[in-house]
Amino acid sequence: MENSKASDQKDSRFPYRKATPFHYHKLDAESPRSSNNEIGFSPGSDRRFAFSRQTLFHQSSVASGDSVTPMLSRTSSSIDIPLNKRGWSEETFLWGEEEGSDEKPSIFTHLLSGFRILRSGNRPMRRLLLLIFLNVAYSTVELCLGLLLGRVGLVSDAINLTFGCGLLTFSLFAMAASRKKPDRIYTYGYKRLEVLSAFTNALFLLFMSFSLAVEALHAFIQDESEHKHYLIVSAVTNLLVNLIGVWFFRNYARINLVYRKAEDMNYHSVCLHVLADSIRSAGLILASWLLSLGVKNAEVLCLGLVSVTVYILVMPLFRTTGGILLQMSPPSIPSSALSKSMRQVMSREDVSEVSQARLWELVPGHVIGSLSLQVKKGIDDDRPVLQYVHGLYHDLGVQDLTVQTDYA
Amino acid sequence: MAVIVSSNMEPQNSKYHGHRIEVSADMPAVEKGYGGNKVCREVACGFSDAKASSQDAKERSASMRKLWIAVVMCIIFMSVEVAGGIKANSLAILTDAAHLLSDVAAFAISLFSLWASGWEATPRQSYGFFRIEILGTLVSIQIIWLLTGILGYEAIARLISGTGEVKGLLMFVVSAFGLVVNVIMAFVLGPDHSHGRGHGHGHDHGHSGQDHGKGAHRDHDHEETGHNIHSQTVNIDIHHHDEGHSKQHMEHHHILREADLSQPLIDSSVRENTERNINVQGAYLHVIGDSIQSVGVMIGGAIIWYKPQWKFIDLICTLIFSVIVLYTTIRMLRNILEVLMESTPREIDARQLEKGLCEMEEVVAIHELHIWAITVGKVLLACHVKIKLDADADMVLDKVVDYIRREYNISHVTIQIERE
């Protein structure tokens, strides 16, 4: 399967690193460190840590737990790698977490806490903030120039960029907000925000590809080819800014990616966003160059090419995020494994029927499910059955399982 | 025996989920009998039982009919505008026609989501396809935002490349036409005031209407042991009435039954909003946004017509009204976000539920309570219940499931019973 192949590649390339990150992380859990150390969310060379650490963590939690209570408690799922103590207290200060309060933090607390991202954020967040600043600066300059000089093309480009910036800000906000602990209303926590932001990014990119196709059609129908020349400088600058962004998130510059954690999706979507933007600028540059060479219908070709490329880039991300949001069965757990587990449960002598097995993914890596068992009459203590079922499904990767036993 | 009296209500209440009057006698065997349909027989059971799905289908077809009417009207008006625009060679009219085209796209998305949400659940999609509604509405709201941005950009472009001709009158006329079209469609898609379903009859609905202003704080004063006629569940929105009045059960039900026939029991706008399908609501929001924009452009056009040198008024008007449109989408966006984030739905008070469950004698503690919605009307619950060592697990399970179904109308409940 493609997923396992990709992960094998990653793991086999750095087999020697497997031991060290595990101990590294164990130390982290005990002693606080400054947030400048890569605790695990940052891309760069550390991302491969994230892969191996994830699988190791998974195994360790399976080995240790499950003796008394059949399931892990809500807060110790395998993706909740705890932050350092300093960031923790700052976070509770940031978000105002009290135990008994039900109300959501207002927009203002969010805005204020946005300024603290520089201090408490991890590396991708800071990079993203830098990227957003660059984009905002560039688009304001472009907007002012366009208004002053009266060039509509510049203004439209600036507004396009502003949309993109807004989306990147939402991604940043999702990164920051998803670290909150689950509370009364959001009983599963806030990690879904990352998936949502990835979905929104993918949607925006699809819109962009669609609008590029419309523009290509427009250019095909009408023959206005001059205005591209004005935009060379802006296209080049745009390309440079976006290439910086691609460089920041270069680990996620793939089309089909294995998502191990929630943040993977978000980073992937940001990377695809800047990548698509840079492809668009490159396409514009190419189109004007071809036009200057005298190639007919150059921008139709280039725009069409860019549109198709962006579509191909974005579609897998869109599908995966859409699948998660649609409560689809986790694609990481093949249905053969699921049916095998069900058969194993049913083969136990005290179980007469298994039904209503429903699984869904909260975020990549965190699967939640519910199951209904019919236990034969006369069995009073269902604890061994429960433990067995929980252990079995935990091996499959289902962290939170709720099993309802009915006595037939 | 557990008696479910509902069949004679169906034909009249074709628009909504009917209501069930559950009369369950107080015998342990009864609980078993009712609890018998907790577990469905197949391995990958469909998400909704037959009754709910038939009501779903009815509501869905009604919503689809509305949307089809709106789409057809939109297409007719759009072709009229395109023809007129080509003939008059005016860019403004063609732009408005493109706007209507985007309306058609939004309606098409809503129609598709409505149709898709009726698909049968598959093993891959074990919860059915109900979420498609939510995603479809999200996409159409994004389209609204995109269009607002495009309109803003166009206003700026108009300002920059001001060709100086008097466009005020044309803008005014075109946007007035667009406004009329949008208002007509708003009537088609909006809440049904005029179909003989007036407002709440009787004070019973009045006081329960106040009960459910926003959240659902149920006034659950006593645990019925003697009188077992419980709530009358109206499945339109998640709330329900708790008629704990032990005296006039029969008359009470009778009055409510008659009243239910003829009106949707709403007074507050929150309930009105959750009554219609979320896709229809999204389309309605789209149309309302368009009419607000048209009003803005009309005002701008009128001002420019009156004073042609104040061209920047056009931009200001567009921007102000764009902000208003965005503001109207915020509430629906918040609902969508809450569903997508698997949060506890607003109508259900988790604390009350927990308290009510803990009040049962055998229950020691509740933990890992998760209540989430798959779409705006359908709620699921999963929790772990710790019971005393000597309690009968099956009976407790039945009681808990029954309580949740009765009081909170959550039908998809998974309870894991653990002993202390």
Side-chain angles (χ1 to χ4, degrees):
Chain A
M1 211 162 74
E2 189 191 335
N3 290 349
S4 55
K5 200 159 55 134
S7 63
D8 276 342
Q9 268 182 3
K10 291 263 181 230
D11 285 345
S12 64
R13 269 201 290 176
F14 298 88
Y16 58 91
R17 291 204 196 222
K18 263 193 196 163
T20 31
F22 186 62
H23 298 299
Y24 179 72
H25 177 76
K26 274 260 168 146
L27 281 175
D28 270 344
E30 270 132 351
S31 64
R33 279 171 193 249
S34 79
S35 63
N36 279 329
N37 282 350
E38 294 86 62
I39 295 203
F41 300 137
S42 53
S45 59
D46 305 302
R47 186 166 175 270
R48 288 137 201 146
F49 286 178
F51 280 158
S52 43
R53 182 179 302 141
Q54 176 76 2
T55 46
L56 283 174
F57 208 175
H58 189 79
Q59 289 159 15
S60 75
S61 56
V62 165
S64 65
D66 298 336
S67 54
V68 179
T69 51
M71 73 278 3
L72 301 174
S73 78
R74 195 186 329 165
T75 48
S76 71
S77 68
S78 56
I79 57 175
D80 256 356
I81 302 180
L83 296 174
N84 56 68
K85 298 293 190 304
R86 184 178 67 106
W88 193 277
S89 60
E90 209 168 285
E91 219 177 80
T92 51
F93 171 63
L94 273 182
W95 304 108
E97 284 258 359
E98 305 100 56
E99 192 31 72
S101 79
D102 273 331
E103 47 179 292
K104 308 177 187 153
S106 73
I107 310 286
F108 291 118
T109 44
H110 283 287
L111 276 179
L112 284 174
S113 57
F115 291 124
R116 300 194 176 95
I117 287 179
L118 276 176
R119 262 197 297 155
S120 71
N122 51 17
R123 204 200 272 179
M125 281 172 65
R126 275 177 277 162
R127 284 175 168 180
L128 186 57
L129 193 65
L130 184 63
L131 198 62
I132 292 178
F133 273 148
L134 273 178
N135 267 322
V136 166
Y138 172 60
S139 77
T140 18
V141 164
E142 215 185 358
L143 186 69
C144 297
L145 274 183
L147 284 177
L148 283 175
L149 298 180
R151 301 238 170 100
V152 183
L154 282 178
V155 173
S156 82
D157 208 30
I159 291 190
N160 217 326
L161 261 184
T162 316
F163 261 126
C165 279
L167 266 182
L168 289 179
T169 316
F170 180 57
S171 290
L172 186 66
F173 164 72
M175 277 187 220
S178 76
R179 291 192 287 180
K180 280 171 81 158
K181 285 292 163 195
D183 57 23
R184 214 162 243 298
I185 301 214
Y186 291 92
T187 48
Y188 284 115
Y190 290 82
K191 295 241 172 226
R192 260 273 171 109
L193 265 180
E194 311 233 23
V195 178
L196 255 178
S197 93
F199 180 75
T200 322
N201 262 324
L203 198 63
F204 172 74
L205 286 179
L206 279 180
F207 281 161
M208 184 164 92
S209 125
F210 178 66
S211 82
L212 281 174
V214 165
E215 225 180 288
L217 195 66
H218 189 82
F220 184 64
I221 295 181
Q222 298 175 317
D223 235 350
E224 28 179 319
S225 46
E226 323 89 14
H227 68 278
K228 288 294 183 294
H229 290 279
Y230 297 155
L231 304 176
I232 279 284
V233 174
S234 83
V236 168
T237 328
N238 204 359
L239 184 63
L240 285 177
V241 170
N242 284 314
L243 280 180
I244 294 179
V246 174
W247 175 252
F248 278 164
F249 286 92
R250 62 187 174 277
N251 287 301
Y252 293 87
R254 302 175 49 164
I255 297 183
N256 283 309
L257 199 56
V258 178
Y259 303 111
R260 300 295 179 100
K261 312 188 302 248
E263 299 93 39
D264 282 352
M265 276 196 160
N266 210 357
Y267 301 152
H268 189 208
S269 75
V270 168
C271 181
L272 282 186
H273 184 113
V274 284
L275 194 61
D277 252 345
S278 51
I279 289 181
R280 190 180 71 121
S281 311
L284 287 181
I285 296 176
L286 184 66
S288 52
W289 178 61
L290 284 181
L291 272 181
S292 68
L293 282 187
V295 178
K296 284 250 166 63
N297 287 334
E299 77 254 16
V300 176
L301 279 174
C302 288
L303 282 177
L305 202 65
V306 168
S307 161
V308 167
T309 315
V310 171
Y311 181 80
I312 292 179
L313 270 184
V314 161
M315 229 12 192
L317 176 70
F318 185 69
R319 278 228 185 100
T320 326
T321 24
I324 290 188
L325 288 178
L326 281 181
Q327 312 288 94
M328 211 167 71
S329 274
S332 52
I333 300 181
S335 52
S336 56
L338 272 179
S339 36
K340 182 171 149 216
S341 314
M342 283 182 92
R343 274 199 308 269
Q344 273 181 306
V345 174
M346 278 185 62
S347 66
R348 276 181 72 102
E349 45 201 34
D350 36 4
V351 172
S352 75
E353 202 172 328
V354 178
S355 58
Q356 290 190 347
R358 299 204 183 110
L359 299 177
W360 54 282
E361 254 183 328
L362 178 70
V363 284
H366 190 176
V367 180
I368 303 175
S370 70
L371 189 62
S372 203
L373 286 181
Q374 277 234 331
V375 176
K376 295 200 177 117
K377 231 179 172 59
I379 310 284
D380 202 28
D381 190 11
D382 52 359
R383 252 180 293 198
V385 183
L386 272 184
Q387 277 194 352
Y388 179 68
V389 173
H390 275 284
L392 193 63
Y393 275 86
H394 198 91
D395 288 339
L396 269 187
V398 181
Q399 275 93 344
D400 293 341
L401 188 68
T402 312
V403 178
Q404 175 165 317
T405 41
D406 299 304
Y407 296 85
Chain B
M1 303 295 165
V3 173
I4 301 177
V5 178
S6 68
S7 50
N8 43 357
M9 288 301 114
E10 293 277 305
Q12 286 106 348
N13 277 8
S14 60
K15 258 232 166 230
Y16 329 100
H17 306 276
H19 53 263
R20 288 182 292 169
I21 303 171
E22 297 168 11
V23 181
S24 55
D26 202 9
M27 291 185 288
V30 166
E31 310 264 52
K32 276 286 190 289
Y34 177 65
N37 48 359
K38 283 194 304 262
V39 177
C40 75
R41 296 296 146 208
E42 304 88 48
V43 168
C45 163
F47 184 65
S48 50
D49 48 354
K51 186 162 184 295
S53 67
S54 75
Q55 288 157 356
D56 274 350
K58 282 190 197 126
E59 179 194 283
R60 211 175 309 125
S61 64
S63 307
M64 277 180 89
R65 197 179 48 228
K66 275 189 187 178
L67 278 175
W68 272 118
I69 294 178
V71 166
V72 164
M73 274 175 50
C74 223
I75 292 185
I76 292 178
F77 283 127
M78 184 179 74
S79 34
V80 162
E81 266 196 358
V82 163
I86 291 185
K87 219 154 148 206
N89 205 7
S90 151
L91 193 60
I93 300 182
L94 284 176
T95 319
D96 210 46
H99 210 104
L100 275 181
L101 182 67
S102 76
D103 268 357
V104 172
F107 292 158
I109 290 179
S110 299
L111 267 174
F112 172 72
S113 332
L114 260 182
W115 173 62
S117 66
W119 290 340
E120 284 289 321
T122 68
R124 265 288 113 161
Q125 291 272 148
S126 46
Y127 290 101
F129 288 88
F130 296 102
R131 271 284 166 95
I132 291 190
E133 284 183 349
I134 305 279
L135 280 187
T137 320
L138 183 66
V139 169
S140 74
I141 288 192
Q142 301 280 49
I143 291 184
I144 294 181
W145 283 46
L146 198 70
L147 283 178
T148 312
I150 289 182
L151 264 178
Y153 156 66
E154 275 176 14
I156 296 181
R158 271 202 298 265
L159 189 64
I160 293 181
S161 64
T163 45
E165 57 183 68
V166 175
K167 286 188 181 165
L169 181 60
L170 191 62
M171 276 167 59
F172 186 83
V173 168
V174 169
S175 52
F177 180 62
L179 181 67
V180 165
V181 167
N182 281 318
V183 163
I184 294 178
M185 286 199 291
F187 270 122
V188 168
L189 291 173
D192 288 314
H193 288 300
S194 53
H195 282 249
R197 292 174 194 96
H199 300 285
H201 291 208
H203 69 283
D204 312 293
H205 294 287
H207 89 82
S208 44
Q210 276 141 27
D211 268 352
H212 313 278
K214 296 282 172 154
H217 292 277
R218 252 150 293 262
D219 231 2
H220 187 63
D221 26 340
H222 58 275
E223 188 86 48
E224 274 104 349
T225 47
H227 308 272
N228 290 345
I229 300 177
H230 305 301
S231 52
Q232 178 175 342
T233 56
V234 183
N235 296 351
I236 301 171
D237 0 19
I238 315 286
H239 66 270
H240 68 251
H241 316 276
D242 185 5
E243 281 92 39
H245 315 285
S246 37
K247 289 282 168 57
Q248 306 105 342
H249 276 297
M250 281 309 157
E251 300 150 23
H252 203 83
H253 278 280
H254 196 60
I255 292 173
L256 283 173
R257 201 187 303 167
E258 275 180 347
D260 266 351
L261 285 185
S262 50
Q263 47 73 26
L265 334 159
I266 22 88
D267 272 48
S268 67
S269 59
V270 172
R271 293 162 61 174
E272 208 171 277
N273 267 336
T274 55
E275 176 189 328
R276 294 168 292 154
N277 191 298
I278 195 171
N279 284 305
V280 175
Q281 258 177 270
Y284 179 68
L285 210 60
H286 204 107
V287 164
I288 292 283
D290 275 353
S291 7
I292 293 179
Q293 292 279 13
S294 303
V295 167
V297 173
M298 265 172 69
I299 293 181
I303 293 182
I304 292 186
W305 181 30
Y306 177 59
K307 264 202 192 284
Q309 58 268 34
W310 283 359
K311 281 210 259 171
F312 60 91
I313 288 284
D314 175 27
L315 176 63
I316 293 180
C317 266
T318 314
L319 287 181
I320 292 178
F321 283 90
S322 305
V323 168
I324 295 181
V325 167
L326 290 184
Y327 182 70
T328 58
T329 59
I330 282 188
R331 179 145 56 127
M332 166 155 289
L333 206 59
R334 202 182 49 185
N335 283 340
I336 290 180
L337 222 68
E338 283 174 0
V339 170
L340 284 178
M341 296 267 297
E342 320 288 339
S343 72
T344 310
R346 279 168 182 264
E347 309 91 21
I348 299 199
D349 189 3
R351 262 204 208 126
Q352 194 82 17
L353 195 142
E354 226 177 295
K355 220 163 48 152
L357 279 182
C358 286
E359 277 169 8
M360 296 186 182
E361 310 90 51
E362 298 90 357
V363 172
V364 172
I366 310 268
H367 63 101
E368 294 252 9
L369 176 68
H370 293 291
I371 310 176
W372 52 280
I374 185 117
T375 176
V376 173
K378 304 188 178 357
V379 184
L380 298 99
L381 188 149
C383 76
H384 298 235
V385 174
K386 261 199 176 14
I387 61 174
K388 297 192 182 132
L389 271 171
D390 52 354
D392 178 12
D394 207 21
M395 191 198 69
V396 176
L397 181 64
D398 283 341
K399 258 176 76 173
V400 166
V401 170
D402 197 41
Y403 170 73
I404 293 178
R405 269 193 201 171
R406 262 188 1 244
E407 299 297 325
Y408 298 91
N409 200 22
I410 303 175
S411 52
H412 292 271
V413 174
T414 311
I415 311 280
Q416 176 163 317
I417 304 270
E418 299 160 16
R419 288 178 203 267
E420 185 54 34

